[in-house]
Amino acid sequence: AYDLHGIDRQITEDLWTTIEAFSVYGFNKSHAVSYAIDSYYAAWLHTHYETDWLATILQSENNSPKGLAKAISEVKLHGYKFAAADINYSGNEWIYSEALSAFVPPLRSIKGVGNIAMQEILDNRPFKNLDEFLYDDDGAWARSKVNKTALTALCKIEAFNSFEDKSLPLSMIEPFLIFSKPAIVLSIVVFPIPEGPKRQIISPSFSIVKDTF
């Protein structure tokens, strides 16, 4: 530029330094336009469908602990609350529950609850109590996919808090429940499943019998 047009050498060197620095991360106009359009769409969705948009962001970071933690912090800055995973409210993705007025994590994010067990829960809910969750109307064992590992995981995170009847703490069940057909095994004691809707569960911690969940 100096030889051809007589431009001051310092000006050309400063310009080249700027261009060189920009080349580390720079893109052409078509790339910039694409980013601008995406930003507009994101802003529109955030404005008109805020909870759906924020749930989508949470879902996109669900497999990244650091990313999810950051997303949760940012959502909280908007004034939203978070609820624990629950068999009656959690889906297969992050959702905003109007009933809970909070964002609810998906069942698939619970370690030990596989996709098949999750789908069985989603297909048969809502459940009012543990009895309804475990048995059908005829008193037969209803859950073929929700195994001991899945049920233990659900108990550990207290995913049954939406049950109407909480007379028996679920934390008492989790360590002892090993189920098979046609019996429920609690610790080392086997209780055949009785006929009809009424069943008995024993608590090894207190050695008492509880009737009907």
Side-chain angles (χ1 to χ4, degrees):
Y2 174 78
D3 296 335
L4 293 176
H5 305 289
I7 298 176
D8 186 270
R9 189 180 300 274
Q10 186 60 46
I11 294 176
T12 57
E13 289 179 354
D14 289 344
L15 178 60
W16 176 254
T17 301
T18 301
I19 294 173
E20 190 176 34
F22 180 74
S23 67
V24 175
Y25 183 73
F27 42 80
N28 57 32
K29 185 182 293 186
S30 62
H31 199 152
V33 170
S34 299
Y35 268 55
I37 293 174
D38 286 344
S39 298
Y40 178 84
Y41 286 158
W44 189 87
L45 289 168
H46 192 132
T47 301
H48 298 284
Y49 299 92
E50 186 170 71
T51 54
D52 295 304
W53 175 245
L54 294 176
T56 300
I57 293 174
L58 291 167
Q59 183 61 32
S60 69
E61 299 289 353
N62 199 50
N63 294 324
S64 170
K66 289 184 179 180
L68 183 59
K70 181 180 178 181
I72 290 175
S73 296
E74 291 181 354
V75 172
K76 286 182 177 179
L77 291 176
H78 288 280
Y80 289 102
K81 296 181 180 180
F82 286 80
D86 189 282
I87 61 167
N88 282 323
Y89 293 108
S90 294
N92 59 359
E93 295 182 344
W94 277 90
I95 62 168
Y96 181 78
S97 170
E98 296 290 348
L100 299 177
S101 298
F103 284 96
V104 187
L107 288 174
R108 71 170 68 224
S109 65
I110 305 171
K111 185 177 181 180
V113 181
N115 290 337
I116 296 177
M118 176 193 70
Q119 195 58 51
E120 184 176 48
I121 293 172
L122 296 181
D123 290 342
N124 292 279
R125 70 184 191 185
F127 307 104
K128 294 181 180 179
N129 49 53
L130 190 62
D131 190 66
E132 189 175 283
F133 175 66
L134 295 178
Y135 306 98
D136 61 21
D137 293 336
D138 297 323
W141 188 258
R143 304 278 77 82
S144 62
K145 308 302 181 184
V146 182
N147 57 21
K148 176 179 178 289
T149 300
L151 188 55
T152 298
L154 291 169
C155 287
K156 284 182 177 180
I157 66 162
E158 301 181 355
F160 301 99
N161 281 341
S162 59
F163 283 168
E164 295 177 357
D165 187 351
K166 300 179 182 179
S167 59
L168 180 62
L170 294 171
S171 58
M172 292 166 55
I173 302 174
E174 183 269 318
F176 307 102
L177 183 60
I178 305 173
F179 50 82
S180 58
K181 297 177 181 178
I184 291 181
V185 183
L186 295 176
S187 190
I188 58 173
V189 184
V190 178
F191 295 85
I193 297 176
E195 297 296 329
K198 195 171 185 178
R199 305 168 183 80
Q200 292 183 324
I201 296 294
I202 189 171
S203 165
S205 299
F206 299 95
S207 299
I208 58 176
V209 176
K210 296 284 185 177
D211 289 338
T212 311
F213 289 109

